[in-house]
Each structure stands twice: as structure tokens, then as C-alpha cells.
Amino acid sequence: MHALIVVAHPERDSLTHALAARIADGITASSAPGAGQSRHSAEIADLSAEGFDPRFTADDLAAFRNAGPVPADVAAEQARIDRADALVIVYPIYWWSFPALLKGWIDRVFTQGWAYEDVALGKSLKKLQRLRVHLVASGGADQRTMARYGYFGAMKTQIDHGIFDYCGAQVVTSELLLASDSGYPEAHLETARAFGQRVFAHTG
């Protein structure tokens, strides 16, 4: 099985990229079910290095309104997701949310007609029910601060429900790795590799 790992961080030597690489290692190191079958595969989509444009333009709006074609770069991203059995998003927490590049990727790529379909006022058809999503976030605040101000609930509302559940995609895992955690950062790298080995565990 195949996983698409999406990263939005400008520095290749960042913890975010290191976590993504370890997750990919874990995925490829885990064998697919059944003797003699091929191993799982992983592709890292480095949005910053690839120069993805996160701006929602008039062309995107026209596609949303079924008044124009889906922009070519958006169609290419949708095709990458279509080839994947799992979507893994690895990101640093900026202002308690996604980095702008990643949010723009979601704004542009998870379009009406592909991710969901409006069928009536207030009702939509979920079109990504086959997709399994794994979220791995890294942040600087400690667990106590996150809990005190309700970040965990806000994250599930904004991301799990507000984005992926709306499209029918199941959020299987939400990992939150913080700088205050014991053994940081080496322990997080070990956690990431172990996490990668479990991405397709449900298929066994």
C-alpha cells in the first residue's frame, strides 16, 4: 500500500522534515500482509521545495463554481492523493493552526466535485470515504498549556471535523509532539518511525 506524506516547512533540516523522513522509513520497513507481497511505499510531498502556490485565485473560484477547469497544479495534487491509500500530514503548529502553505494546499486541493459535492442547501456528499488520514503536529508549548486553553478540542473541531470529516476521510491518528516532552527531540524521531510502521496496521 502507498502513503502520501505532506510536509510544509521551508527548512530541509527542520524537525518537521526529520519526522516525515522517519515516518517514511517506518512505512517502507513494514511489510504488506501476506507472504511474498511487496512492501509498503511512501512519497514525501515537500510543498515548499516544490513551490506549490497556496493562493486561492479567481481560477480556483471558477472551478468551485463549475465555471472553469480545475487548475493543473491542483489536479496534479488530487492525483497524488488518489494514488495513496493513506494521507500523512506532518506540520509545525503556527499560531495554533496549520502553516499558511499547508492551509492553502487544503483550500485549493480539497475542492468541490473531488473531495465533496454540494447536493442541497446545507447538505453535501462526502467523496473521500476511502481515504485514511494521519496527522502529526509538532509544537513548542507544553501539554499543560495546550490542555488549559483547549487546543486538543479545537484541533479536532477545526481539522478532524471541519476539514476531513466534511469530505468523509477518516482521521485515524492525531499525534502531538511537543518540545517539552521527555527525550525531545530524539524521542520524537523514534516515535515517528514507530508510527510509520503502524500506518497500515489496520490493513492486516
Side-chain angles (χ1 to χ4, degrees), residues 56-108:
F56 193 89
T57 68
D59 289 339
D60 296 290
L61 188 58
F64 171 78
R65 292 172 173 168
N66 294 318
V70 174
D73 59 340
V74 171
E77 295 301 307
Q78 292 172 347
R80 285 211 286 198
I81 298 173
D82 285 338
R83 291 193 296 270
D85 302 290
L87 174 64
V88 182
I89 299 180
V90 186
Y91 65 98
I93 298 172
Y94 288 178
W95 295 105
W96 285 30
S97 186
F98 284 148
L101 176 57
L102 180 56
K103 179 58 166 58
W105 181 79
I106 290 171
D107 288 347
R108 296 192 63 213

Side-chain angles (χ1 to χ4, degrees), residues 91 98 106 126 133-136 151-175:
Y91 65 98
F98 284 148
I106 290 171
K126 302 173 187 289
V133 178
H134 303 268
L135 304 170
V136 180
Y151 178 78
F152 301 105
M155 180 178 177
K156 287 187 176 297
T157 299
Q158 176 185 341
I159 299 174
D160 297 26
H161 174 71
I163 298 172
F164 297 110
D165 182 61
Y166 191 82
C167 305
Q170 179 185 352
V171 176
V172 180
T173 309
S174 287
E175 292 278 355

Side-chain angles (χ1 to χ4, degrees), residues 5-24 44-48 88-94 97-99 101-102 136-140 177 184-185 188-189 192:
I5 303 172
V6 177
V7 183
H9 196 291
E11 294 182 336
R12 294 299 301 272
D13 60 352
S14 65
L15 177 61
T16 300
H17 278 277
L19 292 171
R22 289 297 182 92
I23 292 170
I44 295 179
D46 183 347
L47 300 182
S48 182
V88 182
I89 299 180
V90 186
Y91 65 98
I93 298 172
Y94 288 178
S97 186
F98 284 148
L101 176 57
L102 180 56
V136 180
S138 62
L177 307 176
Y184 170 88
H188 288 173
L189 298 176

Side-chain angles (χ1 to χ4, degrees), residues 1-5 20-29 39-45 84 86 88 196 199-200:
M1 303 189 81
H2 181 65
L4 177 65
I5 303 172
R22 289 297 182 92
I23 292 170
D25 288 344
I27 291 171
T28 56
R39 292 182 179 273
H40 300 309
S41 59
E43 172 190 359
I44 295 179
V88 182
V199 165
F200 293 120

